[in-house]
Amino acid sequence: MAEQKATNITWHGGTVTPENRQALLNQIGCCVWMTGLSASGKSTIGVIVEQLLLEKHKTAFRLDGDNMRMGLNKNLGFTAEDRTENIRRVGEVSKLFVDAQVITVSSFISPYKKDRDAVRALLGDKFIECYVHVSIEEAEKRDPKGLYKKARAAVAAGKGMGFTGVDDPYEAPEKPELTIYTEKVTKEEAAHQIVAFLESKGFLKA
Amino acid sequence: MAEQKATNITWHGGTVTPENRQALLNQIGCCVWMTGLSASGKSTIGVIVEQLLLEKHKTAFRLDGDNMRMGLNKNLGFTAEDRTENIRRVGEVSKLFVDAQVITVSSFISPYKKDRDAVRALLGDKFIECYVHVSIEEAEKRDPKGLYKKARAAVAAGKGMGFTGVDDPYEAPEKPELTIYTEKVTKEEAAHQIVAFLESKGFLKA
């Protein structure tokens, strides 16, 4: 993992407490970490969750894999090392949003268990691992961006592209807080399941 | 600057609009970018600004140089390249918070003009450059963490440590939105100046 490089640094704490922020927003910050194969529906479900929370007057924010790769993580590719750094960074950003008491919906393939576990360690009981389940067969059938087709072609040509589920592993969560079976429920139902979970755990009020 | 590495990525937009978020929080997100020498008072003033905003029922969040170097930027040091990457990352995180319509108080020495200008380009009219001014003589006199002393000793020993104002340049803002003269006002007065500026520009209501 990333080693601490800078020395001569001092934590600068504030006077505004987590409780102050929770009372202001009438909610408790947490991170719904959506993990799953490409085309599982992570981002789309995340968008609906954010909308449902707005309708409940809750402050939510989405961090999305592809979007982050156009900004904060634009200097990262898809090697195992870069994937780990990608998840490390978005884990740290998720923590900042959770510290701000925002309900953070983080949608990342995040295929490696050790990377997700590092985020869990960072966020503690504010980390809600949500496994957006789809079989590889169904994901390849959906293939909305044609990426599986591209990956299979690359493998057939003997090149490979390190695509999760094709020529890079997806390590499924063993004990996720939530599993969404996207071949059994609609995206709207999935989003409602997530919001209901947040409600049941007390995150939607201070 | 950072080159875009990943291909095969698609922006995933949401349905919650900036206006939805502004109405919910009754404010307009922006970034108060506090730049200045070490010991100028950036972090301390930022803490007071955050507290004052809470008292006005505003959602604010601080991003602080040293704190970020213990998390997101722990794998960066103080070479010119690392400083640039440090500011690039916190600029991107500031943008995420501003997109969430949070009033973001970003306190970073950020000594290089080109790095600050890159953040300005990213944030547009939501970027409020606040020059926390102190003379190098006064900063060295304050030296709360003994860092100037350490840096002078390193230079005297012929080693150097790339410390801003001692053996690394501080490029002062040319046209900051705000300048705080910390040798003329107290930290509390400085914080009130910043909040008054936000109020006058309409950021504290939707």
Side-chain angles (χ1 to χ4, degrees):
Chain A
M1 297 307 290
E3 256 179 80
Q4 177 70 51
K5 264 202 165 180
T7 52
N8 294 325
I9 54 177
T10 316
W11 184 266
H12 204 114
T15 55
V16 175
T17 65
E19 292 73 22
N20 290 152
R21 296 181 198 280
Q22 290 165 2
L24 179 61
L25 297 176
N26 192 28
Q27 64 187 39
I28 292 170
C30 62
C31 173
V32 181
W33 188 275
M34 316 271 275
T35 173
L37 291 172
S38 180
S40 59
K42 298 179 299 296
S43 298
T44 308
I45 296 168
V47 164
I48 306 172
V49 169
E50 190 182 43
Q51 180 69 40
L52 291 174
L53 289 171
L54 174 76
E55 288 162 16
K56 288 176 178 290
H57 308 291
K58 298 300 153 190
T59 299
F61 195 70
R62 284 182 309 115
L63 301 174
D64 190 276
D66 278 10
N67 299 4
M68 296 291 279
R69 282 185 179 276
M70 296 182 191
L72 178 65
N73 293 343
K74 75 198 303 189
N75 52 2
L76 298 175
F78 291 93
T79 61
E81 193 183 26
D82 276 9
R83 281 177 188 263
T84 293
E85 173 66 4
N86 181 49
I87 297 305
R88 188 193 71 81
R89 289 190 200 167
V90 298
E92 292 283 359
V93 174
S94 298
K95 172 147 177 50
L96 292 169
F97 274 90
V98 170
D99 286 348
Q101 304 305 323
V102 171
I103 297 175
T104 311
V105 182
S106 301
S107 302
F108 299 91
I109 296 175
S110 48
Y112 305 147
K113 185 173 180 307
K114 73 167 174 29
D115 296 343
R116 294 193 307 266
D117 284 351
V119 181
R120 182 185 289 275
L122 193 64
L123 288 166
D125 60 1
K126 305 302 171 62
F127 183 77
I128 300 160
E129 192 171 28
C130 179
Y131 179 20
V132 185
H133 180 278
V134 66
S135 64
I136 182 72
E137 295 75 21
E138 171 66 14
E140 292 214 45
K141 202 155 63 183
R142 292 178 188 171
D143 204 12
K145 305 172 197 162
L147 295 176
Y148 284 99
K149 204 175 160 196
K150 215 165 172 170
R152 290 286 176 203
V155 169
K159 288 183 301 191
M161 57 187 258
F163 194 78
T164 300
V166 176
D167 58 344
D168 210 63
Y170 178 76
E171 301 169 2
E174 283 161 18
K175 287 182 180 177
E177 275 70 18
L178 255 173
T179 302
I180 303 287
Y181 293 97
T182 66
E183 290 164 75
K184 295 187 182 161
V185 295
T186 66
K187 292 188 169 72
E188 286 70 22
E189 286 166 343
H192 279 280
Q193 285 178 4
I194 293 169
V195 172
F197 181 87
L198 293 173
E199 195 119 51
S200 75
K201 295 293 177 184
F203 289 111
L204 303 190
K205 59 177 194 289
Chain B
M1 296 305 290
E3 257 180 76
Q4 177 69 51
K5 264 203 165 178
T7 53
N8 295 326
I9 54 176
T10 316
W11 183 267
H12 204 116
T15 55
V16 175
T17 66
E19 292 73 21
N20 289 153
R21 295 181 199 281
Q22 291 163 2
L24 179 62
L25 297 176
N26 192 26
Q27 63 187 41
I28 292 171
C30 61
C31 173
V32 181
W33 188 274
M34 317 271 275
T35 172
L37 292 173
S38 181
S40 58
K42 299 179 299 297
S43 299
T44 308
I45 296 168
V47 165
I48 306 172
V49 168
E50 190 180 44
Q51 180 68 41
L52 290 174
L53 289 172
L54 173 76
E55 288 162 16
K56 289 176 176 290
H57 308 292
K58 299 300 155 189
T59 300
F61 196 70
R62 284 182 310 116
L63 300 174
D64 190 275
D66 278 10
N67 299 4
M68 296 292 278
R69 282 184 179 279
M70 296 183 193
L72 177 64
N73 293 344
K74 72 196 308 187
N75 52 2
L76 299 175
F78 292 93
T79 63
E81 193 183 25
D82 276 8
R83 281 176 188 265
T84 293
E85 174 66 4
N86 181 49
I87 297 305
R88 188 192 72 79
R89 289 189 200 168
V90 297
E92 293 283 359
V93 175
S94 298
K95 174 148 175 48
L96 293 169
F97 274 91
V98 170
D99 286 348
Q101 304 303 325
V102 171
I103 297 176
T104 312
V105 181
S106 301
S107 302
F108 298 93
I109 297 174
S110 48
Y112 305 146
K113 186 174 180 305
K114 72 165 176 30
D115 296 343
R116 296 193 307 268
D117 284 352
V119 182
R120 181 184 288 276
L122 193 65
L123 288 168
D125 61 1
K126 304 302 170 60
F127 183 75
I128 300 160
E129 192 170 28
C130 180
Y131 178 20
V132 185
H133 179 277
V134 66
S135 64
I136 182 72
E137 294 76 20
E138 171 66 14
E140 293 213 42
K141 203 156 61 185
R142 292 178 188 171
D143 203 13
K145 305 172 199 162
L147 295 177
Y148 284 100
K149 205 177 160 196
K150 214 165 176 171
R152 291 285 176 203
V155 169
K159 289 183 299 190
M161 56 186 256
F163 195 77
T164 301
V166 176
D167 59 344
D168 209 65
Y170 179 76
E171 302 168 3
E174 283 162 17
K175 286 184 181 175
E177 276 71 19
L178 257 173
T179 302
I180 303 288
Y181 293 97
T182 65
E183 290 164 75
K184 294 185 182 161
V185 295
T186 66
K187 292 188 169 73
E188 286 71 23
E189 286 165 344
H192 279 280
Q193 285 178 6
I194 293 168
V195 172
F197 181 88
L198 292 173
E199 194 118 52
S200 75
K201 296 293 177 185
F203 289 112
L204 302 191
K205 59 178 194 287

